[in-house]
Amino acid sequence: LESSHHHHDSSSSSSEDLTHLYTSAYHPSAPEPNYPHLGPTSKLNLFTAINAAMRTAMDTDPTAILFGEDVGFGGVFRCSQGLREEFGEERVFNTPLSENGIAGMAIGYASAGGTAIGEIQFGDYIFPAFDQIVNEMAKFRFRSGNQWNCGGVTLRAPCGAVGHGGLYHSQSPEAYLAHTPGLVVVMPRGPRCAKGLLLSSIRSKDPVVFLEPKILYRSAVEEVPDADYEIPLGKAEILREGTDVTIVGWGAQLRTLQTAADRAAKEGVSCEVIDLRTILPWDSDAIVRSVRKTGKLIVSHEAPITCGFGAEVVATLQRE
């Protein structure tokens, strides 16, 4: 069974309803399973956790640069706030309004051995950069027979709906990207995993597209380790164990799934909730193991159902 959260016109749903939906069930105080002890923590929301990860990456890698539209001013969501002042305008800077140019520059810089962190201001505007992402970034290593690569590229992009973004600021493009061999596609569900996943992405030897659910930038708040830590890419995480049904999602949709699992528990249904975290390559083994135990699978995502990544998960599980 695959389900999808359909976008509604902002005129048909109240902001109060959306606020309730996205703030009532994140369980920010619940410890993450198997989360290592990393010492002191700070209370961060998603955008400050992203900021902390980029600060750590730039502090530990002198070749790392950060660029994009309005990035030098802190970015429209404030993710790069204070970084230009700390690392200088040669390492943190604005670009023209050209997503194709941002991606192309990232590829060129990384191919010369640097670490490039490019920001696409909204995931909806990543499509003008598709030629560079799909035909260059993803294929750079393969076309050369592994003689050269652009693995130092990480492209960050806000994604998903916020209730008032309209048709050009609400899209979830992960399925388009996941169709491209050679890319790594990541989407965190909250601040703690965002910091570790982003540091892994920036330091990965493969090009990464890191999608950030914009609804969580301020609404998701957690205690985040101050330490420099990484979370492995390509590994799903079991958020709660169960025996009756496996529920799989990623990004902001995990909040909805946690709420559903809470309600199901009151009716005696034990749900195993899994966060995919990395969409490409995705951890099919973890899902297969879970479904062999529970016998049932639900996949839920915010993007459209047709050719959504949930279809890939369901098809793989049916085959297995």
Side-chain angles (χ1 to χ4, degrees):
L1 173 64
E2 179 192 356
S3 66
S4 176
H5 174 73
H6 292 279
H7 297 163
H8 295 281
D9 193 314
S10 58
S11 63
S12 64
S13 60
S14 69
S15 59
E16 290 80 7
D17 290 341
L18 289 165
T19 300
H20 175 73
L21 173 63
Y22 287 107
T23 59
S24 61
Y26 191 57
H27 311 289
S29 61
E32 291 192 345
N34 303 318
Y35 210 83
H37 177 69
L38 293 168
T41 62
S42 299
K43 185 173 287 187
L44 302 179
N45 57 25
L46 184 64
F47 90 81
T48 51
I50 296 293
N51 182 277
M54 292 192 294
R55 176 176 283 104
T56 298
M58 299 188 74
D59 192 47
T60 56
D61 180 357
T63 75
I65 60 174
L66 170 63
F67 52 92
E69 298 161 11
D70 299 320
V71 161
F73 305 139
V76 294
F77 294 106
R78 316 312 296 162
C79 291
S80 57
Q81 188 171 17
L83 297 182
R84 182 172 65 172
E85 291 76 12
E86 184 171 348
F87 295 103
E89 60 185 17
E90 291 186 354
R91 294 184 66 192
V92 182
F93 51 89
N94 296 328
T95 66
L97 304 182
S98 172
E99 289 77 18
N100 206 35
I102 293 168
M105 178 179 173
I107 294 166
Y109 185 77
S111 70
T115 298
I117 309 169
E119 180 181 296
I120 305 297
Q121 195 168 84
F122 286 89
D124 311 66
Y125 299 127
I126 203 168
F127 302 116
F130 255 41
D131 180 49
Q132 289 294 318
I133 293 171
V134 173
N135 285 326
E136 303 297 339
M137 193 168 92
K139 297 175 173 61
F140 213 78
R141 189 192 306 274
F142 182 79
R143 68 187 289 211
S144 72
N146 202 29
Q147 295 182 72
W148 58 79
N149 68 83
C150 61
V153 173
T154 300
L155 292 183
R156 298 176 36 252
C159 67
V162 293
H164 55 267
L167 66 167
Y168 290 130
H169 298 83
S170 303
Q171 297 178 66
S172 299
E174 66 266 22
Y176 293 100
L177 296 160
H179 192 66
T180 307
L183 294 181
V184 176
V185 183
V186 181
M187 189 185 299
R189 69 177 179 277
R192 274 196 301 257
C193 68
K195 181 180 177 182
L197 288 171
L198 183 54
L199 280 168
S200 290
S201 298
I202 293 170
R203 293 164 176 170
S204 171
K205 300 305 181 184
D206 294 303
V208 179
V209 180
F210 192 89
L211 299 171
E212 302 163 7
K214 68 177 81 71
I215 190 69
L216 303 182
Y217 273 139
R218 287 170 173 78
S219 65
V221 179
E222 295 176 318
E223 291 292 335
V224 178
D226 298 331
D228 180 343
Y229 65 97
E230 299 179 17
I231 293 175
L233 303 178
K235 295 294 183 182
E237 183 177 8
I238 299 174
L239 301 185
R240 64 194 292 170
E241 295 186 353
T243 57
D244 295 328
V245 60
T246 299
I247 304 179
V248 177
W250 48 90
Q253 194 71 354
L254 264 300
R255 305 175 130 203
T256 302
L257 301 186
Q258 290 275 38
T259 301
D262 288 343
R263 293 179 180 178
K266 294 177 181 178
E267 299 182 14
V269 178
S270 174
C271 301
E272 183 145 294
V273 179
I274 301 180
D275 178 8
L276 216 52
R277 299 197 298 196
T278 304
I279 297 166
L280 187 70
W282 66 285
D283 190 357
S284 60
D285 290 343
I287 313 305
V288 168
R289 285 194 300 270
S290 177
V291 176
R292 282 178 175 159
K293 176 179 67 174
T294 65
K296 298 180 179 65
L297 171 67
I298 296 173
V299 183
S300 179
H301 55 73
E302 185 175 318
I305 289 178
T306 304
C307 295
F309 194 72
E312 175 71 16
V313 177
V314 171
T316 299
L317 268 291
Q318 184 66 33
R319 182 190 68 205
E320 296 297 323

